[in-house]
Amino acid sequence: MDLADKLRILTESAKYDVACTSSGTDRVSPADGIGSACRSGLCHAFAGDGRCISLLKILMSNACCYDCKYCVNRVSNDVPRATLTPDEIADITINFYRRNYIEGLFLSSGVLGTPDRTVELMIRAIELLRDKHKFYGYVHAKVIPGASPHLIERLGMLVDRMSSNIELPSANSLRLLAPDKHRSDVLAPMQQIADKLRARERGFASAGQSTQMIVGATPESDLQIIRLAEGLYGKYALRRVFYSAYVAVADHSDLPAVGSATPLLREHRLYQADWLMRYYRFRADEILDEKRPYFNEYLDPKCNWAVNHPEFFPVDVNRAPYERLLRVPGIGVKSAQRILAARRTARLDEQALRRLGVVLKRARYFIVGGSGVAAADAPARAAQALIAAGRAECAVQMSMFDDFDLPALGQPAPIRV
C-alpha cells in the first residue's frame, strides 16, 4: 500500500474524533486559483493568545485489538486497515510543515497488539521528529489506556500536550460498550500526568492534559456529564474536557440506530456549560439539578439558569460586585472587568454598556442601572423572548460530515424554564 492510500484511510478513520475542529469539506481550486481544502487530515487548535494553529491529525494505525462497540475502528468491523511506521509519520509531518500546511501534529492510534507496543511506536515517531528533524513545533499525543507508567513519562517529555480519553460518561457504559477497556486504565495515566504537572517537572507536557468523552451514545443525563467534567477538572488539573457528539455509524443494539441524528446541539450546550464552570465560577449543580437534568434546547445554559433563578435579579451594573456581574446573561468576563473599571469614573448608561461589550438583547431583562428595564415580570418576559430567539437560531442545524443525512435538529430535549 502506498503512502497516499495509507493517509486516506487513516485520516478518514480519525475524522469521527472531533475534539478539534476539522476543515469539514473537500474543495479543489480551479486552474487559475490557489489553495484547497480537505475534509479530514487537518484540524485546528487555538493557542492561549487566540491564534488558530493547524495540526496534522492522524492515527498511527486504525488496526485495533479492542472491540469498542461505538468505534468505527473496532476489531470486529470490516474496514480497510493501514499502519504508518514511525519514519513515515516523522517524514509526513516534517514535509507538511515545510510546505506550510501545518504547524504541529495531533497523533493517536488504535491499539496495535498491546498498549505498550503502541506507545513505544508513537514515542519513536516523535523522537525522530524532535531529534532527527529538529522539529520543536506543537505535538499533542493521546495516551493509550493501559500503557506502562515509564512509557507515559517518556512520551510526556517529548510532547506539548497529552490526553487520556475517558470515552464514556460512566463506568457502567464503558463496561457495556468497551469491554476490553477499564476505567482504571484511563484514570491511572491521568493521575500520573496530573502529578507530574503539579510537581512542575521541567519539559513534561508543558501545555497540560485534556480528555474527551462521547456524548449521545449512552443514556447519561447532561447533569451527570457536567458533574463528571467538574470532578475531572478538580482532581486531574485538566486544561480541557472535550465533548464529542456520537456519530451513529455502528450497528449495535446498545447504541442509537445507524443514521440517527448526531446530537450536535447537545454537544454545543455542554461546551457552553463547560465554559461557565471554567470561567464564570458556576458549579455543575447550579447549571442543572435533579429536577432539570437536561439542557434547554432553545436557551444557552447561562440564560436558562437566569430565568430559573429570578431571586438573583435584577443586578445593578453600577454597584454589583464582579461575581454577580458574571451571572448576568449578556455580560462576559471581559465586559464585567470593563464595567468595574468604567464605573469608577462615570455612571453607566445603555450606550456605555454597549461600548463595553454587553449584549443588551439578553442582559436588559436582568439588570437595573444603565438601561434599567428590569421589572417584576422580567424573568417571564425574558424566557419568552429568549426562547423565541433560540427557536429561530435552531431552525437549521448543519451536519458534521456531508456524507451523513442528518435531520434538522439534534436529539430533542424538553423545554424547561
Side-chain angles (χ1 to χ4, degrees), residues 149-365:
H150 74 277
L151 292 176
I152 293 170
E153 183 167 359
R154 281 180 59 194
L155 185 63
M157 297 303 293
L158 290 167
V159 302
D160 298 281
R161 175 167 286 187
M162 304 177 76
S163 54
S164 180
N165 286 356
I166 203 160
E167 301 288 9
L168 295 169
S170 72
N172 287 338
S173 292
L174 193 66
R175 280 193 297 268
L176 178 67
L177 296 178
D180 303 308
K181 291 183 179 178
H182 302 282
R183 193 76 156 194
S184 59
D185 290 338
V186 176
L187 298 180
M190 291 175 69
Q191 186 65 66
Q192 180 183 352
I193 296 166
D195 291 343
K196 291 281 187 183
L197 294 173
R198 289 183 176 122
R200 299 183 181 275
E201 184 166 333
R202 185 175 179 84
F204 186 90
S206 59
Q209 71 166 323
S210 59
T211 193
Q212 177 181 290
M213 67 179 84
I214 299 166
V215 176
T218 51
E220 291 83 9
S221 68
D222 297 327
L223 176 59
Q224 288 174 282
I225 293 171
I226 62 173
R227 277 176 174 169
L228 173 59
E230 183 179 56
L232 293 173
Y233 279 123
K235 187 171 183 179
Y236 299 108
L238 297 181
R239 290 290 184 90
R240 288 294 304 273
V241 174
F242 290 98
Y243 309 91
S244 179
Y246 175 66
V247 181
V249 294
D251 188 9
H252 193 273
S253 58
D254 292 321
L255 290 167
V258 173
S260 297
T262 303
L264 296 177
L265 182 58
R266 186 182 185 191
E267 177 192 286
H268 179 57
R269 294 290 185 236
L270 284 165
Y271 275 116
Q272 289 175 318
D274 191 273
W275 200 264
L276 292 181
M277 291 190 293
R278 290 192 295 134
Y279 295 107
Y280 288 77
R281 306 182 184 182
F282 278 80
R283 300 188 311 275
D285 287 333
E286 291 181 289
I287 299 170
L288 296 171
D289 55 43
E290 297 295 346
K291 293 182 178 178
R292 303 182 183 92
Y294 291 92
F295 294 118
N296 190 306
E297 188 172 15
Y298 300 114
L299 288 179
D300 70 73
K302 192 177 183 184
C303 286
N304 193 50
W305 177 86
V307 299
N308 280 295
H309 291 82
E311 72 281 0
F312 188 86
F313 301 100
V315 171
D316 187 341
V317 293
N318 286 292
R319 302 181 63 183
Y322 179 70
E323 293 76 12
R324 285 182 66 83
L325 290 173
L326 283 180
R327 298 283 169 134
V328 178
I331 296 181
V333 172
K334 289 185 178 179
S335 55
Q337 292 169 346
R338 291 168 184 160
I339 287 171
L340 293 180
R343 73 188 189 187
R344 293 174 189 152
T345 57
R347 185 169 178 81
L348 303 180
D349 58 17
E350 182 171 343
Q351 293 303 314
L353 291 176
R354 289 185 189 278
R355 289 194 298 270
L356 294 174
V358 175
V359 183
L360 283 174
K361 68 179 181 180
R362 292 198 293 272
R364 67 172 63 252
Y365 301 101

Side-chain angles (χ1 to χ4, degrees), residues 12-123:
E12 182 74 10
S13 295
K15 77 177 184 179
Y16 301 103
D17 178 6
V18 289
C20 291
T21 305
S22 60
S23 55
T25 185
D26 288 319
R27 183 179 61 254
V28 178
S29 65
D32 58 348
I34 59 173
S36 61
C38 180
R39 175 168 17 206
S40 54
L42 252 62
C43 70
H44 306 104
F46 293 89
D49 59 5
R51 290 180 301 117
C52 181
I53 301 172
S54 297
L55 305 176
L56 172 63
K57 182 178 183 182
I58 196 167
L59 294 176
M60 182 175 71
S61 176
N62 70 336
C64 189
C65 63
Y66 290 169
D67 198 24
C68 303
K69 308 306 180 187
Y70 52 82
C71 182
V72 70
N73 299 314
R74 63 192 181 278
V75 67
S76 62
N77 198 25
D78 185 17
V79 295
R81 306 287 180 173
T83 300
L84 292 170
T85 67
D87 288 281
E88 287 174 329
I89 293 170
D91 289 343
I92 291 167
T93 303
I94 200 66
N95 279 300
F96 276 27
Y97 179 80
R98 286 171 176 162
R99 288 168 172 78
N100 205 30
Y101 295 163
I102 61 167
E103 295 174 76
L105 172 66
F106 187 154
L107 182 62
S108 184
S109 182
V111 182
L112 279 167
T114 67
D116 279 1
R117 176 170 179 256
T118 308
V119 174
E120 285 171 350
L121 291 171
M122 294 173 71
I123 288 171

